[in-house]
Amino acid sequence: MTYEKMTVAAARKAESIGKQIILQGWVRTRRDSKAGFSFVELNDGSSQGNVQIIVPKELSNDETDIKAVTAGSSIAVKGLVKESPGQGQATEIEAQSIELIGTADPATYPLQKKGHSLEFLRSLAHLRVRTNTFGAVARIRNRVSFSIHQFFQENGFYYVHTPIITASDCEGAGQMFHVTSLDLNNPPKNDTGKVDFSKDFFAKSSYLTVSGQLNVETYCCGLSRVYTFGPTFRAENSNTSRHAAEFWMIEPEIAFCVLEENMEWAEKFLRRLISDVLRDCAEDIDFFNKHIDTTLIETLNHVLTSPFVRLSYTEAVDILQKSGKKFDYKVDWGTDLQSEHERFLTEEHFKSPVILYDYPRTIKPFYMRVNEDGKTVRAMDVLVPKVGEIIGGSEREYRLDLLEERMQEQELDMEAYRWYADLRRYGTVPHSGFGLGLERALMFITGIANIRDVLPFPRTPGNCEF
Ligand code: 4AD
Ligand code: MG
C-alpha cells in the first residue's frame, strides 16, 4: 500500500477523508479506553488543532509499546483518514501502524497537560513552541513577516539590507551595545589614559545598530521607495513588558513624501498586517481571543474599519492636563510623554489608535524636519491600545543648513555624519519614513501582554539564556 505524507493541518480537513496517509509529529496526549483503543492527540506545528489518532490494541507490540507513546514523544503513524463522529473536528485517523521515534520520559518531560503560566514557560524557551500559545505566536510571527514583504513589494518598495554593526547612533540616545575585539582585561590606552579604540577592529568605536534608518535613507535617495527589516539592539536598562534588548524593526523610507503621506502609509501598512492575519491565521486568533484577551477580535476589527485619530503633541498635552487624571509623571509641554499618558489617550480618551505628531524639537533626534514655528519637529508616533507606541517616524530634515544646525545643537561629530549630510548637499528631496517594532505589532495582534512571549528567545536586561 502507498501512503501519502501529510501535515496534521491537511489531515484535519474533510477533503482528506478516505486517504491513506503518513503523519509525523509530537504527541500532546494519550488516553486509553477500556475497549482496548488508545486515543493519541498529535501535533506537528502545521495548525493550532491536533488530529486524533485511534490506535487499536493489536498495534501495541514489542517494537512500539503504546504505553511509551507519552506526551512529548515523537511518532510516525500510517493510517486511514476517516470522518470523525466527535464534535469540533472533521476527521480522525484510524492507525494501521505506529512507530515510536523518540521517547519523552513522563517523569521529567516538563510540558504536562495542565496549562502552564507564560512566566514558567519562559524558562523552557527551547520547548515552549510545542504549546498551543507559542505555536500560535510562531505561526503569526511568520505570517506577519511575510505580509511585511508582500505589502512593500506590492507597493514598489525595494528591500535593503542595512548593516548590523555601525559607528553612528541614529536615535542619539546613547543606548548602544559596544562591539569590540580588544582584550577587555588589558585594553590599549591613549595618552589621556582612555581606551584607544583606534587599535580596535574597525579602528574606531563601533556598536550594534539601534536602527537602520540613516543607512536606508541613502538608498531611498536613489531608489525612491525602500525598506529595511532586521534585528536592532538597544542597551536600555528598562525592565518593562514592552522593551527588549534585541528586537526586529521594519523601516520604510519614502522619497518625495511629507509627514501626512507618511502617516497614511503607516496606517495602511498596519491594516494590511492585521487583515492578513485575521484571514490566514483565524484558528490561532480564535485561540488568543478565547484564552488571552476576549476583546482581541473586536479590537482588531475596529482598527481595520475606523481611521486613526490624528493629534498634535500640543493638543495631546492639553487633553492630558485637562483630564483630571492623576498620573505618576506630570505632563508639561516640552517633556516626553510617558506610557501612562499614551495609554490614557488611546485606551480611555479616544478608545482608538492615535497618531501623535509635531513633537518638541528638544526631545527628538537631529534628523527630523523642523516646523515653521521653530519649536517643533515633524515627528509622528502611532499609539495603540494596550501596547502604546508601536511606530515611531518622521519627515526628515532635507535642508542642509537646518540639518547642520540640529547636529550642532545635539553636539554630534559633524565629520562622522558627513555622508548623511551629503544626501542634502546633492539632490536633496523631502522624504519620510518610520519604524515599526515587529514585537510591538505582534503584542497588539495576539493580545499577549509581555514582549518576552512574542520573541522566540528574548534578550532583556540580565537575561541571555538559550
Ligand atoms: O521610535 P524609535 O526609536 O524610532 C526609530 O528607531 C526610527 N529610526 C525609526 C524610523 O523612523 N525609521 O523605534 C521605532 C519602533 C518603536 O515605535 C517601537 O515599536 C520599537 O521600534 N521599539 C522597540 N521594541 C522593542 N523593544 C525596544 N527596546 C524598542 N525600542 C523601540
Ligand atoms: Mg519612539
Side-chain angles (χ1 to χ4, degrees), residues 218-347:
T218 68
Y219 269 60
C220 171
C221 296
L223 294 177
S224 296
R225 287 182 183 181
V226 294
Y227 67 107
T228 167
F229 177 13
T232 47
F233 306 86
R234 298 206 183 172
E236 6 181 24
N237 204 356
S238 43
N239 228 324
T240 79
S241 58
R242 285 165 254 249
H243 289 87
E246 177 179 312
F247 62 99
W248 285 63
M249 190 159 36
I250 303 97
E251 297 181 275
E253 193 70 32
I254 310 145
F256 310 99
C257 172
V258 296
L259 191 69
E260 287 69 23
E261 212 184 318
N262 198 30
M263 293 180 191
E264 280 161 28
W265 278 111
E267 229 182 293
K268 208 164 110 176
F269 175 50
L270 279 180
R271 286 216 182 92
R272 167 64 183 268
L273 303 185
I274 293 168
S275 62
D276 281 0
V277 168
L278 285 174
R279 187 191 59 229
D280 294 342
C281 305
E283 206 184 10
D284 290 325
I285 289 291
D286 283 343
F287 173 83
F288 288 129
N289 195 63
K290 211 183 254 158
H291 298 285
I292 301 279
D293 174 1
T294 52
T295 62
L296 181 66
I297 294 179
E298 193 191 322
T299 306
L300 294 178
N301 278 323
H302 177 70
V303 171
L304 284 187
T305 50
S306 57
F308 295 11
V309 171
R310 294 178 191 200
L311 189 73
S312 74
Y313 166 92
T314 304
E315 292 168 299
V317 166
D318 199 46
I319 291 174
L320 290 163
Q321 285 174 337
K322 290 185 180 145
S323 69
K325 207 147 154 116
K326 278 251 173 309
F327 294 113
D328 292 340
Y329 291 85
K330 199 166 160 267
V331 191
D332 276 319
W333 200 97
T335 58
D336 216 351
L337 298 182
Q338 301 294 322
S339 88
E340 56 174 343
H341 307 133
E342 298 178 340
R343 294 185 61 167
F344 171 79
L345 291 170
T346 117
E347 287 168 26

Side-chain angles (χ1 to χ4, degrees), residues 171 234 336 342 364 368 380-381 389 391-393 435 440:
E171 293 307 293
R234 298 206 183 172
D336 216 351
E342 298 178 340
K364 289 290 182 186
M368 295 185 178
M380 65 164 201
D381 274 5
E389 179 192 337
I391 283 179
R440 300 263 178 100

